[in-house]
């Protein structure tokens, strides 16, 4: 029982603390070289590709935000793919001569829409971004400068979750999570390569794009992992901000989390060859440490550590103390659950709850994926007043 308990504790500690410490040391030892900015004359042509389904509330602001980026207008093309949309999205896009509307009445999911349109992209670089995400003015230039290296196949921006001074568990918890996640991403990229990319904002060399299986749930992650497996570096640009607000409430956030978790276990299965240390070395180490363990063993380790301590507590004070600390954490998590949709300035109160909640969603994702219930198309989560908050920082 002691061996089982300490194995579970090690997994939890390593995934959320140990790996961060280790990758920071490795990145520090390697060091980083500054990347020079490009003058406008040397900037390449870029196509912004936005897959949007029924986004009439935000699509106009998205196009305006893209047009306001500090990038030569004659080198910036915009394609808005709206397959299946039946609201006012198409009419709004049609009002902008700078944006090309790509529409098909049938809805087959985001990746099917992207696969359909990518052959028409003529620029050397393609930027993928979500409709509900706003980008800082210098973000695109900061990303594109990484492509001066032929080793770079893709570049990811930094997801930034905005929240109000007083906020609920969804925005507060997601904000804390992404601050730490962004730190890990920077260190991963500094040492070797980014381990996958979030779909909010990333760019690739257009000729490297390969059609992704339309049943893939987190296609952005799988796409960039496959690039890394081929030897290309996926760079990370923390000064390219993909700004969005958290979900309106924890119930809306659960939709998104469960889908990502289902996609995570699917990705682990699809990317089994990446577990070969002898072939992929550093990438395998990063992939297991940063992703695979989170999507597989972490929930089991948490349950194992929490339950086994009750059998060990009678053996002496160290285990008794740990049990008491675990119970305090559980009480704080229950308190966070009780006030999950309330708003407070003391956002750290939500950390214990959100930590447990994330892994609960992982388990729900497993169930939904293996039961075949997670569809490629989905109902997007409602966001908390995105325009006012995002534009105030843009």
């Amino acid at each position: 029982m002691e061996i089982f308990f300490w194995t579970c504790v090690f997994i939890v500690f390593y995934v959320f603390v140990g790996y961060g410490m280790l990758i920071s040391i490795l990145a520090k030892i390697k060091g980083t070289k500054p990347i020079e900015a490009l003058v406008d004359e040397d900037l390449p042509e870029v196509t912004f590709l936005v897959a949007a389904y029924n986004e009439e509330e935000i699509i106009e602001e998205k196009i305006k935000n893209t047009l306001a980026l500090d990038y030569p207008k004659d080198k910036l093309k915009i394609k808005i793919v709206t397959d299946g949309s039946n609201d006012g999205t198409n009419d709004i896009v049609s009002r902008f001569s700078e944006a090309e509307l790509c529409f098909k009445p049938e809805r087959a999911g985001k990746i099917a829409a992207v696969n359909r349109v990518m052959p028409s992209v003529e620029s050397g670089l393609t930027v993928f971004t979500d409709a509900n995400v706003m980008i800082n003015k210098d973000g695109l230039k900061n990303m594109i400068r990484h492509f001066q290296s032929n080793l770079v196949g893709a570049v990811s921006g930094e997801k930034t979750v905005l929240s109000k001074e007083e906020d609920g568990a969804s925005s507060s918890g997601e904000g804390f999570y992404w601050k730490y996640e962004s730190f890990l991403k920077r260190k991963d990229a500094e040492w070797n390569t980014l381990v996958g990319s979030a779909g909010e904002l990333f760019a690739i060399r257009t000729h490297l794009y390969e059609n992704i299986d339309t049943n893939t749930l987190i296609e952005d992650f799988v796409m960039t992992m496959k690039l890394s497996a081929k030897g290309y570096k996926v760079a990370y640009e923390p000064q390219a901000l993909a700004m969005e607000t958290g979900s309106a409430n924890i119930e809306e956030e659960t939709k998104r989390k469960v889908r990502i978790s289902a996609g995570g276990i699917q990705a682990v299965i699809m990317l089994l060859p990446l577990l070969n240390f002898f072939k992929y070395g550093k990438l395998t180490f990063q992939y297991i440490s940063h992703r695979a363990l989170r999507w597989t063993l972490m929930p089991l380790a948490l349950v194992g550590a929490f339950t086994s301590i009750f059998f060990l507590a009678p053996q002496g004070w160290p285990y008794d103390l740990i049990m008491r600390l675990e119970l305090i954490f559980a009480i704080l998590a229950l308190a966070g659950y009780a006030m999950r949709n309330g708003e407070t300035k003391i956002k750290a109160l939500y950390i214990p709850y959100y930590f447990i909640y994330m892994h609960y969603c992982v388990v729900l994702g497993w169930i939904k994926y293996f039961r075949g219930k997670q569809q490629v198309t989905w109902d997007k989560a409602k966001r908390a007043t995105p325009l006012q908050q995002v534009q105030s920082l843009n």
Side-chain angles (χ1 to χ4, degrees), residues 168-188:
S170 177
S171 295
S172 301
E174 186 72 352
F176 280 118
Y177 169 75
W178 273 102
K179 285 177 182 177
Y180 183 60
E181 181 65 15
S182 295
F183 167 77
L184 292 181
K185 285 174 177 286
R186 287 197 297 273
K187 298 307 174 183
D188 273 336

Side-chain angles (χ1 to χ4, degrees), residues 306-321:
F306 185 80
T307 56
S308 61
I309 193 63
F310 291 96
F311 296 94
L312 295 172
Q315 294 187 17
W317 74 266
Y319 292 114
D320 182 68
L321 176 61

Side-chain angles (χ1 to χ4, degrees), residues 351-370:
I351 292 178
Y353 164 67
Y354 199 81
F355 183 79
I356 300 299
Y357 163 76
M358 284 195 307
H359 297 94
Y360 167 71
C361 288
V362 170
V363 175
L364 291 183
W366 292 351
I367 296 170
K368 202 165 187 179
Y369 174 72
F370 286 114

Side-chain angles (χ1 to χ4, degrees), residues 224-249:
T224 46
M225 284 303 297
K226 287 185 174 181
L227 280 179
S228 296
K230 291 180 179 179
Y232 290 99
K233 178 179 179 179
V234 179
Y236 188 67
E237 179 47 72
Q239 295 184 58
L241 305 180
M243 297 177 283
E244 63 178 338
T245 54
S247 300
N249 52 54

Side-chain angles (χ1 to χ4, degrees), residues 48-51 62 110 114 126-135 143 155-159 178 185 194-204 217-224 236 242-244 256 260 291 378 383:
F48 247 71
L49 187 57
V50 182
K62 175 64 177 180
K110 177 181 176 181
V114 172
T126 302
V127 177
F128 300 96
T129 180
D130 290 342
N132 67 309
V133 167
M134 300 298 157
I135 304 168
M143 291 177 68
V155 181
S156 175
E158 177 164 324
K159 176 177 176 177
W178 273 102
K185 285 174 177 286
L194 189 64
V195 185
S197 176
E200 286 81 5
L201 178 62
F202 74 101
I204 70 166
L217 297 173
I218 48 174
E219 71 288 336
D220 33 50
F221 177 83
V222 173
M223 185 191 310
T224 46
Y236 188 67
M243 297 177 283
E244 63 178 338
R256 195 179 69 85
I260 293 173
R291 296 298 181 186
W378 77 99
R383 294 283 173 173

Side-chain angles (χ1 to χ4, degrees), residues 318-355:
Y319 292 114
D320 182 68
L321 176 61
I322 293 172
M323 182 187 70
R324 293 173 186 274
L325 292 175
E326 285 189 2
L327 287 173
I328 291 172
F329 189 88
I331 292 171
L332 291 174
L334 287 172
Y337 172 77
M339 55 184 290
R340 61 193 181 280
N341 288 327
E343 295 185 347
T344 178
K345 290 183 179 181
I346 312 174
K347 300 176 183 179
L349 292 175
Y350 287 121
I351 292 178
Y353 164 67
Y354 199 81
F355 183 79

Side-chain angles (χ1 to χ4, degrees), residues 44 125 143-150 152-155 203-205:
L125 300 176
M143 291 177 68
I144 298 307
R145 60 181 176 170
H146 289 270
F147 287 106
Q148 294 177 79
S149 169
N150 292 328
V152 174
V155 181
I204 70 166
R205 296 187 188 274

